[in-house]
Amino acid sequence: MSRITRRDFFRLTGGFAALAGVGGGTATFPLSSAAAATGGGKGGALDVEIALKATRAQAAILPGGQTAVWTYRADLVKGDAASLQVVPGSYLGPIIRVRKGAQVRVRFSNDLPEQSNIHWHGLRVPERMDGHPRDVVGPGGSYLYEFPVLNRAGTYWFHPHPHTLTGGQVYRGLAGLFIVSDDEEARLNLPSGEYDVPLVLQDRTFDAQNQLVYLQGGMGGMMGGRGRMMMGRGGTMDNQGAMGGMGGMMDRMMGFLGDRILINGRPDFVLPVATRAYRLRLLNGSNSRVYKLAWHDSSPLTVIATDGGLLAKPVQRPYVMLGPGERVELWADFTKLGARGEMTLQSLAFSGAEGDEMMGGHGGMGRMGGMMGGGRALPNGAPFPVLKVRVAREEKETGTLPAVLATLPRYRLGDAVNGRAPRRFALTMRAMNWLINGRSFHMEEVAPDETVRLNTVEAWEFVNERNPGEMMEQNGMVHPMHIHGVQFQVIERQVVPDLKAGWDTVKDGYVDEGWKDTFLIMPGERVKLVMRFQDHPGLFLYHCHNLEHEDMGMMRNYRIES
Ligand code: C2O
Ligand code: CU
Ligand code: CU
């Protein structure tokens, strides 16, 4: 594994280090079936072939000793050198860059001590190519992914999806970007090359030996890493105590939160820039942390794209909410910063994400979730700096933001076959388990109300409900909900009046104008989506992208019937 040798690691290295090739494992999925399953794609000649090996490695992240990580080693087997961008020294990556319509083949091999696979988040691929948890391979195994790229230009990503193990594998470093370009986007002449900067936001906790801490050492493992825990608004308590043992359990139930923010796998991230316009592609690759992104000087953020690519036209926001799995692309013009200028992107404070209305609103001790969540090292909703931009060089050329970005048809409820009575999905907790319509994940299980028809436009309504009688989460918590196999549009949001206070601290940061595959839903909120199931029949997932929630079973199959 290469060590980190440069800060400025986003430039193309211009040729790749001879990385270890993938051994001759057998594909568990025969190529002929893969090609046959590509359906509406062009299924033509192969354009890109990449070998991706998930393996253990060491990375220099903090000063001092190296950190044991899991990482993808990538090797370009066929295709243009620009289609594979290794992120030197970082545990993250690689970045795969392809054109819409390309035929892509990825030879995955598993060099990890446990089963794994690859899911192409946001991409419209056939069911057996989608990285469903039933399609995992054990240590030493391999899997052949092949699909045509049907999606429009946008920032998609990939990560493992083995049931109960996704959170740990992503946390240790397995995640990369899958960037699609197309003709519509190319005509805009948006900032490219070194002015097109991917930024992956993650939070991590390190122990004194620089090793990653994640739900380790049984129930109390996490608290051990943090030393002491705050008890509500009172004093502190040693982790030896009875409550300390609940730390690991809390992290599972609420989602893991690290106390250090890493960008592209690096702490204290500074992006050297020129005085000109940039395209910043942000992915929230965190397990459960939600970001409320804003420039430190309160200048608005200019958003040009969401999960599924460019918006019809740029929109401005005072801040942008970014939940786990979501992407947002910003147009950022650093012209006015001048020589040596600096700018900080920060995450602002917000409330209500962990149902903590009860704490302030009703002032009770009745809700342990809020009390303990509030005691975590860097709670969801606490403010912190995300990254710094620093001018390293002045440039004459600035770049112009196009007034129109893309042609984007807008759905209305009336376009759906069930617009008057959307399919309803209640998000609840029972006996400390997060559920969807009262159900947990079972590998092959699909209920009748989880079956849709191909070539049909549907409305789905998610409702983040109360959990009366639940000790931990009476008011629920924020969930980043994700649907595989489609891009959808968020049509409508409503919130129950008494949970509106928390919602008001985030609502101006939703960007619902474009295509989405993941959306945030706050406690007390209901969200209506419209989408068309148009590509591939088969079994796909929908789930909470809080990876601890997902691993605990807040995930279900849905079936697209042809
Ligand atoms: Cu990125 Cu099923 O998820
Ligand atoms: Cu996905
Ligand atoms: Cu969740």
Side-chain angles (χ1 to χ4, degrees):
M1 185 64 187
S2 54
R3 309 253 169 109
I4 295 165
T5 51
R6 312 185 308 162
R7 265 197 113 80
D8 183 13
F9 54 85
F10 267 111
R11 283 162 199 253
L12 274 164
T13 48
F16 304 102
L19 296 166
V22 173
T26 39
T28 53
F29 198 81
L31 181 55
S32 55
S33 320
T38 52
K42 60 177 197 173
L46 186 65
D47 298 298
V48 182
E49 180 171 342
I50 290 167
L52 271 189
K53 179 192 273 194
T55 189
R56 286 169 284 196
Q58 297 284 325
I61 301 172
L62 300 175
Q66 295 200 28
T67 304
V69 296
W70 292 2
T71 193
Y72 291 117
R73 292 217 181 143
D75 195 17
L76 186 68
V77 179
K78 179 174 187 289
D80 194 297
S83 49
L84 181 65
Q85 185 179 350
V86 172
V87 184
S90 176
Y91 60 77
L92 280 172
I95 300 169
I96 298 173
R97 288 180 185 266
V98 296
R99 299 283 291 189
K100 178 181 178 178
Q103 186 72 17
V104 174
R105 184 188 287 169
V106 176
R107 296 184 176 279
F108 168 66
S109 58
N110 182 359
D111 193 31
L112 303 172
E114 62 190 36
Q115 59 183 26
S116 193
N117 64 357
I118 302 182
H119 166 58
W120 312 95
H121 182 127
L123 294 182
R124 293 147 46 191
V125 302
E127 57 170 342
R128 307 312 295 222
M129 300 292 105
D130 194 46
H132 189 282
R134 68 188 159 156
D135 294 322
V136 290
V137 292
S142 60
Y143 198 96
L144 187 62
Y145 296 93
E146 183 167 0
F147 50 85
V149 176
L150 304 182
N151 290 67
R152 63 199 290 262
T155 307
Y156 308 95
W157 65 300
F158 58 93
H159 59 78
H161 220 301
H163 187 43
T164 73
L165 302 173
T166 298
Q169 293 192 6
V170 172
Y171 184 74
R172 291 185 189 92
L174 295 171
L177 290 170
F178 194 104
I179 295 177
V180 177
S181 58
D182 63 14
D183 294 342
E184 184 181 43
E185 178 196 60
R187 278 197 291 272
L188 298 172
N189 274 314
L190 294 171
S192 62
E194 67 172 295
Y195 309 119
D196 173 354
V197 184
L199 297 165
V200 181
L201 283 52
Q202 295 176 316
D203 55 341
R204 295 290 182 266
T205 297
F206 296 87
D207 68 14
Q209 286 73 47
N210 283 356
Q211 300 309 307
L212 290 167
V213 177
Y214 179 70
L215 308 178
Q216 285 168 4
M219 303 263 279
M222 285 311 305
M223 300 318 298
R226 283 165 190 170
R228 299 160 69 167
M229 131 178 121
M230 298 292 295
M231 286 295 295
R233 298 190 176 157
T236 61
M237 182 173 176
D238 282 314
N239 62 14
Q240 265 67 284
M243 302 300 277
M246 298 180 77
M249 186 181 68
M250 280 312 291
D251 278 335
R252 276 171 226 270
M253 278 188 13
M254 310 289 286
F256 173 86
L257 293 172
D259 55 11
R260 289 197 76 134
I261 305 303
L262 305 189
I263 306 299
N264 298 337
R266 307 295 313 273
D268 308 316
F269 187 86
V270 180
L271 179 71
V273 297
T275 50
R276 65 169 339 269
Y278 278 73
R279 177 181 193 173
L280 306 179
R281 301 178 189 254
L282 276 61
L283 158 68
N284 182 350
S286 309
N287 284 35
S288 84
R289 183 172 296 283
V290 174
Y291 298 77
K292 179 178 177 177
L293 300 167
W295 295 116
H296 76 281
D297 64 353
S298 340
S299 56
L301 297 168
T302 303
V303 180
I304 58 170
T306 51
D307 302 341
L310 293 168
L311 303 176
K313 53 183 191 331
V315 300
Q316 296 212 319
R317 290 288 188 275
Y319 58 85
V320 168
M321 298 305 298
L322 200 65
E326 287 187 298
R327 290 85 68 205
V328 72
E329 296 184 29
L330 304 177
W331 173 275
D333 191 345
F334 303 123
T335 311
K336 56 192 179 311
L337 286 185
R340 310 244 157 274
E342 277 189 5
M343 196 120 162
T344 301
L345 186 67
Q346 52 191 15
S347 189
L348 303 177
F350 57 95
S351 62
E354 299 187 351
D356 36 24
E357 306 290 305
M358 288 290 277
M359 285 297 291
H362 304 268
M365 284 292 290
R367 200 176 153 285
M368 292 178 69
M371 182 176 71
M372 297 181 70
R376 297 194 289 174
L378 189 60
N380 235 343
F384 52 85
V386 173
L387 61 89
K388 197 169 271 185
V389 165
R390 186 175 291 147
V391 173
R393 149 178 123 248
E394 293 187 84
E395 252 180 50
K396 293 250 153 55
E397 192 73 30
T398 62
T400 315
L401 175 62
V404 175
L405 296 166
T407 310
L408 198 107
R410 200 56 199 156
Y411 281 134
R412 284 162 306 146
L413 268 184
D415 296 328
V417 292
N418 60 344
R420 281 167 203 279
R423 220 176 261 271
R424 194 173 178 281
F425 299 92
L427 311 176
T428 58
M429 167 174 267
R430 283 287 172 276
M432 300 200 198
N433 279 308
W434 294 105
L435 305 172
I436 305 177
N437 278 346
R439 304 174 182 124
S440 278
F441 182 67
H442 293 278
M443 197 57 87
E444 306 267 351
E445 187 181 289
V446 195
D449 59 15
E450 294 173 311
T451 305
V452 303
R453 290 201 73 85
L454 191 63
N455 294 317
T456 304
V457 179
E458 282 214 9
W460 286 19
E461 181 178 40
F462 286 79
V463 187
N464 195 347
E465 287 196 344
R466 288 280 160 74
N467 303 286
E470 281 294 319
M471 175 177 70
M472 303 308 251
E473 284 305 323
Q474 292 173 16
N475 280 346
M477 67 175 286
V478 68
H479 300 287
M481 297 306 297
H482 170 50
I483 310 176
H484 286 215
V486 286
Q487 291 284 330
F488 51 77
Q489 291 179 8
V490 177
I491 301 301
E492 187 184 295
R493 290 176 181 272
Q494 292 165 285
V495 69
V496 298
D498 59 326
L499 291 179
K500 193 168 176 298
W503 189 73
D504 280 343
T505 68
V506 309
K507 70 173 193 324
D508 295 333
Y510 291 135
V511 187
D512 292 334
E513 282 90 339
W515 292 107
K516 300 282 294 165
D517 53 54
T518 310
F519 67 98
L520 278 175
I521 179 166
M522 286 283 281
E525 194 174 21
R526 53 174 66 221
V527 181
K528 290 197 183 91
L529 316 175
V530 173
M531 69 203 105
R532 181 182 191 89
F533 303 98
Q534 58 180 348
D535 302 309
H536 308 286
L539 196 67
F540 294 92
L541 298 165
Y542 66 105
H543 61 86
C544 181
H545 218 287
N546 176 320
L547 297 183
E548 287 70 43
H549 290 186
E550 173 184 335
D551 280 343
M552 284 177 68
M554 195 181 185
M555 173 160 76
R556 290 289 298 174
N557 290 307
Y558 78 99
R559 185 186 301 285
I560 304 178
E561 284 185 345
S562 54

